[in-house]
Amino acid sequence: MKKFGLCIAGGIATIILLSTIGPMVGLLISLAVLYFIYKQFLKAESTGWKIALGIFGVIFLMASISNAPAIIGVVAAYILYLVYKNWNSSKHSVVKEESDPFVNFEKQWNEIKNY
């Protein structure tokens, strides 16, 4: 039942992630350009160049804000990572192995044979 729930959560997260790839790429590009505009703004000495960079910065800031649904895609990617990480958790298999009388019998039989 645990695997079924993980499968459902992983499927939903995959669909959401695939549907938000476009906004994620747009957000990444607009933030990268905004970062370089900011760096150039700090280096600029003329007032006219600073005004032009400020206008470009506002434009790319608006582009970044318009790609805000990409945050949902990032959350879906994280959920998909958690599903992948928990898919083969060995907590249940270790408990079953220790409580299984046949496994314990095999271990004890091998110990007796080695004496």
Side-chain angles (χ1 to χ4, degrees):
M1 193 66 174
K2 179 181 175 186
K3 297 251 186 189
F4 180 72
L6 287 174
C7 187
I8 294 294
I12 293 171
T14 302
I15 291 170
I16 292 172
L17 180 64
L18 290 177
S19 67
T20 59
I21 284 181
M24 287 172 68
V25 171
L27 181 66
L28 181 69
I29 291 171
S30 63
L31 286 178
V33 171
L34 189 62
Y35 173 75
F36 288 119
I37 288 174
Y38 175 73
K39 286 296 199 176
Q40 289 298 317
F41 182 81
L42 292 179
K43 292 179 188 176
E45 294 181 8
S46 69
T47 306
W49 185 237
K50 281 192 175 194
I51 291 173
L53 286 174
I55 292 171
F56 288 136
V58 168
I59 291 170
F60 279 98
L61 182 64
M62 297 286 195
S64 297
I65 292 171
S66 70
N67 289 318
I71 296 171
I72 296 171
V74 172
V75 171
Y78 180 70
I79 290 172
L80 198 58
Y81 167 74
L82 290 178
V83 167
Y84 174 75
K85 191 171 122 180
N86 291 327
W87 185 259
N88 287 327
S89 64
S90 60
K91 292 178 184 176
H92 293 37
S93 62
V94 171
V95 172
K96 287 181 183 176
E97 183 178 313
E98 291 175 356
S99 64
D100 187 13
F102 297 108
V103 173
N104 288 332
F105 175 76
E106 291 293 327
K107 287 179 185 177
Q108 290 174 352
W109 184 256
N110 286 333
E111 289 175 4
I112 292 172
K113 282 177 38 177
N114 289 335
Y115 283 117

